[in-house]
Amino acid sequence: MLYFLHELSEFFGPFRMFEYQSVRAVLAGLIALVVGAVIAPKIIKKLQNIAIQPERGRELLGDAAQEKRRVPTMGGLIISFSALLGTILCARPNVYVFCALVVFVGMTLVGFWDDFKKVVKKNTDGMSEKMKWILTSLIALLAFVILLEKGGFRMDLLQIWLPLMKTPLVAFDGAVISSNDLSAIGALAFAGCVWILFWFTCVGASNAVNLTDGIDGLAAGCALPSVFVFGIVSYFVGNARWAEYLTIGYVPGVGELAVFCAALSGGILVFMWYNAAPATIYMGDTGSLALGGALGATALLTGHPLLLVVSGGVFVVEAGSVIIQKTYFKYTKKKYGEGRRVFQCTPIHHTWEKCGSPKTRIVVRCWIVSLALAVLSLISLKVR
């Protein structure tokens, strides 16, 4: 909305600044911070009325791990409201921003319903894992359909860039392909490949962040550097000069995702203020699914989904530990009649807890690793 003020620059010169993405990104972050600071206490107070005894760690760590405080969940609402308002006010509307918001808001709603069932309906299991996968997949599908703007899909969105490589793994030179250019079978095959890529990136990232959310400040603190990285990447990809200088694909309009990432960063910072140990509110699936989905969508739209594997290395390790544990358990149960484990507990941060590491130490070390990986990700853009 603020973007359109630059059209009034003839009457008031300073309005010209709203044409620049960098200015609007800073404003989006500040707006998200202010909005979050205002609504966070109210949301926390409201949620405290329906808070339940935390279930965090009960099955994995035993009774000794139980917290005695009544801490509300669904704190992801703070991030969602702040980021959404900051983006709407400051971003120039286009299909990329709309697509990212659809994934972000959609994942928020899925997570909210899961948390709602746990908190209000007193169903400690919440939404079934299968249903969660189905709903998040449908949201990814909806976002994919949005990308089929006016019957055509920009093929430069499918350029997949590898860190440190000067040329993309897949390149289509900015062509636009429509259903008229393909046979029925070809169109279906093409749509299927795009859909698989979008699904794997968005849904995979959302579940990885969701698995990481288990200790005060862990998921939010690890997500913030990745959001910052993709805010910068979005700006570079959407700027012709920077894209040429860094030898990365240029996609007009994607730079507006930098505004979205800035607003998201502001929302995360406010949430972390209240989520720092000892937390006064938990993120819940409301926030973790939304954060992961937003990261996945932004990574794909910028053409750098593999960069998310680097910057989100902590999430990869957490999700990988769960996959390894489940796979090995099923294999040994089938072969020996008894399931065996590779780790004491998964996600892996629970193993570190059982080994005696204090929660704050685990969180801070993961933050440091995430920050280092974020720096490495940015360096990889220049070292080509």
Side-chain angles (χ1 to χ4, degrees):
M1 294 175 64
L2 294 179
Y3 166 79
F4 297 105
L5 289 176
H6 84 277
E7 298 178 357
L8 301 177
S9 58
E10 296 181 2
F11 305 99
F12 187 64
F15 279 158
R16 189 180 300 107
M17 72 175 67
F18 293 113
E19 186 176 1
Y20 300 103
Q21 293 170 350
S22 56
V23 173
R24 288 184 283 109
V26 173
L27 285 175
L30 292 175
I31 290 173
L33 279 171
V34 173
V35 171
V38 172
I39 67 174
K42 299 179 181 179
I43 290 178
I44 292 173
K45 184 177 180 180
K46 184 69 175 179
L47 293 176
Q48 282 176 340
N49 297 328
I50 56 175
I52 60 173
Q53 187 70 19
E55 299 292 330
R56 183 175 293 184
R58 174 172 296 174
E59 297 180 359
L60 297 172
L61 304 179
D63 295 335
Q66 294 308 295
E67 302 176 37
K68 302 304 180 183
R69 300 172 295 117
R70 290 177 60 85
V71 182
T73 186
M74 293 190 269
L77 292 174
I78 298 173
I79 301 175
S80 297
F81 287 139
S82 303
L84 186 60
L85 188 58
T87 303
I88 291 175
L89 288 177
C90 298
R92 178 183 181 182
N94 64 29
V95 66
Y96 311 119
V97 174
F98 188 49
C99 177
L101 287 179
V102 166
V103 174
F104 181 61
V105 174
M107 297 292 188
T108 298
L109 294 176
V110 173
F112 177 81
W113 178 244
D114 187 33
D115 290 334
F116 183 82
K117 292 185 70 173
K118 294 176 183 177
V119 174
V120 179
K121 301 297 184 180
K122 308 301 181 182
N123 181 354
T124 57
D125 294 329
M127 187 185 302
S128 68
E129 185 175 346
K130 181 179 180 181
M131 180 56 66
K132 191 181 298 184
W133 276 90
I134 291 174
L135 292 177
T136 52
S137 298
L138 289 175
I139 291 168
L141 176 61
L142 176 60
F144 165 67
V145 172
I146 292 172
L147 285 177
L148 300 177
E149 184 183 18
K150 296 181 181 179
F153 185 86
R154 288 189 59 85
M155 296 296 286
D156 52 12
L157 285 173
L158 290 183
Q159 288 186 350
I160 307 301
W161 292 80
L162 296 175
L164 306 179
M165 298 296 291
K166 289 187 176 181
T167 56
L169 181 64
V170 181
F172 296 96
D173 300 324
V176 176
I177 192 167
S178 69
S179 58
N180 295 329
D181 302 320
L182 296 172
S183 64
I185 296 178
L188 290 174
F190 169 73
C193 291
V194 179
W195 156 239
I196 290 173
L197 177 63
F198 205 95
W199 173 85
F200 185 80
T201 306
C202 293
V203 178
S206 68
N207 281 276
V209 176
N210 182 239
L211 290 171
T212 306
D213 182 32
I215 305 178
D216 298 348
L218 180 59
C222 291
L224 186 60
S226 288
V227 173
F228 182 76
V229 165
F230 281 100
I232 294 176
V233 172
S234 300
Y235 180 78
F236 288 160
V237 172
N239 187 293
R241 292 183 179 180
W242 274 107
E244 182 181 1
Y245 173 70
L246 295 172
T247 320
I248 57 178
Y250 167 58
V251 183
V254 165
E256 292 300 323
L257 290 176
V259 180
F260 169 65
C261 289
L264 190 57
S265 298
I268 293 173
L269 285 173
V270 173
F271 172 77
M272 289 180 63
W273 182 272
Y274 296 96
N275 187 239
T280 54
I281 191 168
Y282 294 145
M283 180 185 295
D285 286 5
T286 305
S288 58
L289 289 178
L291 279 181
L295 279 172
T298 306
L300 182 64
L301 292 172
T302 57
H304 291 77
L306 297 179
L307 197 63
L308 181 57
V309 177
V310 180
S311 67
V314 172
F315 302 130
V316 174
V317 171
E318 293 275 12
S321 68
V322 174
I323 294 172
I324 292 172
Q325 187 87 314
K326 286 186 175 181
T327 302
Y328 186 71
F329 186 87
K330 291 179 180 179
Y331 169 75
T332 53
K333 186 174 183 179
K334 182 178 180 180
K335 185 173 182 179
Y336 303 109
E338 179 183 10
R340 300 176 184 178
R341 293 175 171 82
V342 178
F343 309 102
Q344 293 186 53
C345 296
T346 56
I348 193 68
H349 61 258
H350 288 311
T351 294
W352 298 332
E353 283 186 77
K354 295 198 73 171
C355 289
S357 295
K359 293 182 178 181
T360 52
R361 180 185 299 170
I362 295 172
V363 171
V364 172
R365 286 179 175 176
C366 286
W367 287 358
I368 294 172
V369 171
S370 296
L371 183 60
L373 292 174
V375 173
L376 180 63
S377 300
L378 293 176
I379 292 175
S380 71
L381 295 176
K382 185 65 178 78
V383 183
R384 291 179 180 271

